[in-house]
Amino acid sequence: MPALTTERSTTPATGWQAELVEAMRLSRAAESELPLSAVERQQVADARARFPLLIPPGYVKLIDWSDAGDPLRRLLMPSAVEASSAGRMDTSGEADAVVVQGIQHMYEQTAALILTQACAGHCRYCFRRRLMSKDVFQKETIEDLQSALDYLRRHDEIDNVLLSGGDPLICNTRRLERLFEALSDIEHIRAVRISTKLPAFLPSRFTADARLMDLLRRSADRLAVMVQCHYDHPRELCAESEAALAAIRDARCMLVSQVAMMRGINDDADVMFDLVRRLHGHGVVPGYIFHPRPVKHATHFQLSIVEALDVIEAVRRRCSGPLKRFRYVMVQEDGKIELVGVVREGGRLRLVMRWHQVRRGLDRPPIELTPITPRTVWIAGETSGALVDDQALATV
């Protein structure tokens, strides 16, 4: 078994950038430097043609390389099932919400800015893997920041901006400074949300870059700054990650969790409860838990709605009041739906759905009851049909 040479860089200020360079180098040499089976080495080589392996060097140390079923290993290692063409690249109709390149205006009061296609690691379930996939060539990130800002200025119904990607905090700090300065000058923008997995993937971004933390701290004088932290498993909360969360709190930012439920990763009540509880213990308010999306090449992470809600209900029963704040949601073409529960009447099942957000121009009742089956995995939007079961994923 090859020795692992994956110690985190301790270079001051540029440590996180050095880690990114090392992640790319490690990914190019993964077959010789990671303890992979012959089958896995071939899968890594095959993945380079579509959605290549990318693992942050510090994260390598969290993976149990002796266990082929280790959840963190499943999260980042390519697999043979990715060859399946089931699912879709754009499961939430994001293309229809693009108003200026790099800006999605799906919900009335919110604009999402897609700052970059880059991440510190390639999660195999990624719902925007199309941004990094080599078989997709459409550019979706912001090219002209001025055009994006002009759109925001013209639309005073937008009171909050979501920075997304890729991972927006991969952008260099000077670019982020210019963006925050511009957003602060738009009177009707009151809040900025940053959607990031770097507290888990690249915690040194927060502990070794004083300039970034100063930017966040200063921005909090004018804007409500919320860091939406993506965690998938409690083992990601290592000491370095916990230090990153402490640094974000010290920068006067709100912390909210974002978790994607996935088969084989965290579809277990003990694992999910431990994750929610530990995050809350570090000041991270429970936010959304996302139902797995039928993403092309990633449908092996899919759960049926009934299976997923059984896990969610088991977690809720163990939670105190503050921990119950999370919402289990599905984001599809027509908007964001909270999956509240299943009503069983004889042999029939009906899903209780609450619409949290509806796409601009659509109208939905606040609560709906939708017939489902035990195999229903997705409630598609109007243009795609009503239900999707696990046998129909190839046509999604």
Side-chain angles (χ1 to χ4, degrees):
M1 180 179 294
L4 296 182
T5 56
T6 56
E7 290 300 314
R8 285 194 188 274
S9 167
T10 56
T11 305
T14 58
W16 69 275
Q17 293 166 319
E19 286 192 66
L20 278 181
V21 172
E22 173 61 14
M24 291 183 282
R25 188 205 64 78
L26 178 63
S27 298
R28 289 192 295 269
E31 293 95 324
S32 60
E33 295 204 16
L34 294 178
L36 307 179
S37 68
V39 171
E40 286 177 316
R41 288 195 293 272
Q42 185 59 53
Q43 289 167 353
V44 168
D46 292 344
R48 290 198 177 96
R50 288 195 302 268
F51 186 52
L53 169 81
L54 184 63
I55 305 180
Y59 201 90
V60 171
K61 297 185 293 183
L62 303 181
I63 296 173
D64 182 357
W65 294 100
S66 67
D67 179 7
D70 178 63
L72 302 190
R73 188 172 183 158
R74 287 177 182 265
L75 187 73
L76 288 173
M77 283 298 300
S79 64
V81 288
E82 291 183 22
S84 168
S85 60
R88 284 183 297 164
M89 281 296 189
D90 183 0
T91 59
S92 303
E94 292 189 327
D96 296 330
V98 174
V99 289
V100 173
Q101 182 173 317
I103 288 193
Q104 298 173 12
H105 191 184
M106 183 176 291
Y107 308 130
E108 194 72 17
Q109 71 275 41
T110 302
L113 276 59
I114 312 301
L115 296 187
T116 179
Q117 63 186 31
C119 287
H122 285 170
C123 300
R124 308 317 294 181
Y125 71 88
C126 180
F127 80 97
R128 285 205 189 114
R129 63 185 289 157
R130 65 185 187 275
L131 270 66
M132 287 75 77
S133 294
K134 293 190 174 182
D135 52 358
V136 176
F137 300 102
Q138 183 175 345
K139 185 81 169 177
E140 296 187 42
T141 55
I142 287 180
E143 287 275 302
D144 183 354
L145 181 58
Q146 193 56 53
S147 295
L149 293 171
D150 287 345
Y151 182 87
L152 295 177
R153 293 187 186 100
R154 293 195 306 270
H155 289 265
D156 59 7
E157 75 274 19
I158 297 173
D159 63 14
N160 76 104
V161 169
L162 172 65
L163 307 185
S164 191
D167 197 305
L169 293 184
I170 288 294
C171 297
N172 69 65
T173 305
R174 179 58 193 139
R175 184 185 181 200
L176 293 171
E177 286 173 335
R178 291 195 298 268
L179 177 59
F180 270 85
E181 289 165 5
L183 293 175
S184 295
D185 288 339
I186 302 176
E187 186 175 354
H188 54 269
I189 301 295
R190 299 182 178 275
V192 174
R193 292 180 285 150
I194 306 170
S195 183
T196 180
K197 195 170 171 65
L198 293 198
F201 272 171
L202 204 66
S204 58
R205 181 65 170 111
F206 308 95
T207 57
D209 190 343
R211 186 173 176 179
L212 173 66
M213 306 318 291
D214 181 62
L215 168 62
L216 296 177
R217 189 176 293 106
R218 286 185 287 108
S219 298
D221 289 334
R222 160 68 178 85
L223 300 162
V225 181
M226 179 182 296
V227 178
Q228 298 180 168
C229 305
H230 291 243
Y231 282 91
D232 297 304
H233 195 277
R235 276 180 30 219
E236 293 178 327
L237 278 161
C238 61
E240 291 157 305
S241 185
E242 292 169 355
L245 294 176
I248 297 169
R249 290 198 310 272
D250 289 345
R252 301 164 58 200
C253 297
M254 293 175 279
L255 283 163
V256 178
S257 66
Q258 304 260 278
V259 179
M261 187 182 289
M262 291 161 289
R263 185 180 298 281
I265 306 294
N266 54 22
D267 59 327
D268 176 273
D270 291 338
V271 171
M272 188 64 78
F273 173 68
D274 191 30
L275 178 58
V276 172
R277 179 178 57 178
R278 289 186 61 190
L279 284 170
H280 189 263
H282 290 284
V284 184
V285 175
Y288 290 130
I289 300 178
F290 292 98
H291 186 71
R293 311 184 198 211
V295 180
K296 192 173 184 179
H297 306 305
T299 55
H300 52 291
F301 292 115
Q302 198 76 38
L303 291 160
S304 76
I305 292 172
V306 172
E307 287 178 296
L309 281 173
D310 283 345
V311 174
I312 290 297
E313 286 305 314
V315 173
R316 282 191 180 122
R317 285 195 294 270
R318 297 173 62 179
C319 288
S320 63
L323 294 186
K324 292 183 193 290
R325 294 177 183 175
F326 69 82
R327 296 288 183 266
Y328 190 61
V329 299
M330 173 185 293
V331 183
Q332 44 95 292
E333 300 99 324
D334 295 347
K336 184 177 292 162
I337 309 166
E338 180 182 356
L339 307 181
V340 179
V342 174
V343 177
R344 293 171 169 85
E345 298 172 333
R348 296 189 306 159
L349 302 178
R350 288 197 294 171
L351 174 66
V352 183
M353 310 189 320
R354 174 183 289 117
W355 285 92
H356 269 239
Q357 297 280 344
V358 178
R359 181 187 286 269
R360 292 190 305 150
L362 295 182
D363 186 28
R364 293 288 184 276
I367 303 289
E368 287 192 63
L369 292 176
T370 300
I372 60 171
T373 76
R375 300 174 70 173
T376 302
V377 299
W378 193 251
I379 310 295
E382 279 190 348
T383 58
S384 303
L387 302 177
V388 179
D389 66 29
D390 57 0
Q391 296 299 306
L393 279 174
T395 63
V396 174

